[in-house]
Structures are given as structure tokens and as C-alpha cells.
Amino acid sequence: MATALNEVRVQTADFSVPEEYALIAGDNSDGAVVTFVGKVRDFNDGSVVTDLTLEHYPGMTEAVLNQIAVEARERWSLNNVTIIHRVGTMALGEQIVFIGVTSMHRKEAFAACEFLIDFLKTKAPFWKLEAGDSGANWVEAKDADEQAAKMWDK
Amino acid sequence: MINVLFFAQVRELLGESTVAVEASASTSTAEGLRAQLAAKDEKWGKILASDKLLVAVNQTISGWDTPIQDGDEVAFFPPVTGG
């Protein structure tokens, strides 16, 4: 097995899922590749959304994402892990976040991918500003996201 | 000096993204620093009194009793909503 890839990126540019898949999926000792993409959707809490702006805390963001990846590796036997999160303004349908995980078996890759997005949503310093019919509004943190992250408590 | 950062709606409402605060006995904890900044005026008091406000000390989310020293970076922000 080659050295595991551990990639954390915060960027304004879009990402290519086929390119990111190719970067993590080349190791034949992995039987499982699980990826997740979060996108800008056209509604939130019943309001029309026209675009989304993501703000973050440079420095802390990368540190938290790396820490989350370390925690995932402590819980499951993983090979390659990629976390990409975009910042800046994104239009409807654009990609916001990419998580890619590889492992020998599918259960570990599925679980780790879900853990990573649940933890990212509640621990990483990103904030969403939604523009829509009623102006621009900061997205409120959801109890459901906090509950999802708590489900992973040991 | 303590380098204080604000993010998201806290930054927007205060109209500031960063301020430098002289370290003193009253800024020796995250809560002390918050109280000192909140005493600036009514607007700052209201915004920094939010029970949802979070604090990070040197880029780690921390409790309000966390000690603050000269040279630290302290950030105040609302609950995170990325992903």
C-alpha cells in the first residue's frame, strides 16, 4: 500500500469530482471508495435561495478539518481521505463541499464519510449567508446537525 | 496586545472584523475579554451578550473560563453552519 493521501483544502475555486476520485481511487488494496458532495439548493426553511456565500476562519478552518480527519482515522481503518470546502459566493446548483474516503471494506468508508460531514457541519468554522427573495440572511445552526454529530460520541 | 477577530453575523453587526485589546487583569479570561468589549456601548453589549456566541482561543473553540494572555488570538462567532 502506498502512503495514505490526506488532503484538506479550503478554496474559492470549484472542484472536479472525477479528478478527486482519480486521486484517491488508484490503490488496489482499497475495495471501497465513498464520496459525498454538498451542493447549493434552491430553498432553505421554505424560503427561495438565489445564491450562497461561505465565510470561514482562515487557519482555524484547516486545523479543524485536519483534526476531524485524524479522528476519523482513529475510529476506522482508512486509506485515503480528501476534504475540500469552498468559500466565497456560489450560485444555485454549485458544489460546496467534497468528502472522499477509501478503505478496504465499504462499511468503514461509508461510516467515515458520514462522520466527516457530520463533524464538519458542527465543528469547522464556516458560516453560510443565503441571498434570496427576502434579502441576505445568515443560516441558523440546526439542532438536527448537532444531534447527528452527537450520535458519534464514544 | 490581544488580537480579537469577529466572524459572520457578529462581524457584520459590529461592523468590525478585528480589534486589538490591551491585555489587563480584566481580560484574563475569555469571559473577561467579552465583558470588556461588551461594555464599549449598547450595540456591542447586545451583540456580545448572545447566549449562542462562541469563542475560540488561539484557533481552538474554548470555554468562557479559558485564560487569555498577551499575544493571544481570540475569535468571537456564532454557531458554525458549513457543509
Side-chain angles (χ1 to χ4, degrees), chain B residues 32-56:
Chain B
L33 178 61
R34 162 157 96 159
Q36 180 170 312
L37 290 166
K40 187 174 151 99
D41 63 29
E42 195 179 336
K43 181 178 82 172
W44 283 57
K46 190 174 167 204
I47 293 157
L48 295 175
S50 166
D51 59 5
K52 289 190 170 173
L53 191 74
L54 299 176
V55 61

Side-chain angles (χ1 to χ4, degrees), chain A residues 55 57 85 124 126-128 138, chain B residues 8 11-12 73 78 80-81 83:
Chain A
E55 179 172 334
Y57 181 173
H85 205 297
F126 292 104
W127 299 274
K128 280 177 179 155
W138 291 97
Chain B
R11 170 186 56 72
E12 196 174 77
E73 178 176 295
V80 306
T81 54

Side-chain angles (χ1 to χ4, degrees), chain A residues 8 56 78 148-149 154:
Chain A
V8 166
H56 79 124
L78 307 176
K154 286 174 189 168

Side-chain angles (χ1 to χ4, degrees), chain A residues 27-48:
Chain A
D27 194 327
N28 290 332
S29 63
D30 289 326
V33 181
V34 171
T35 62
F36 169 82
V37 174
K39 293 175 60 206
V40 181
R41 66 170 180 219
D42 62 0
F43 69 96
N44 189 39
D45 293 335
S47 302
V48 172

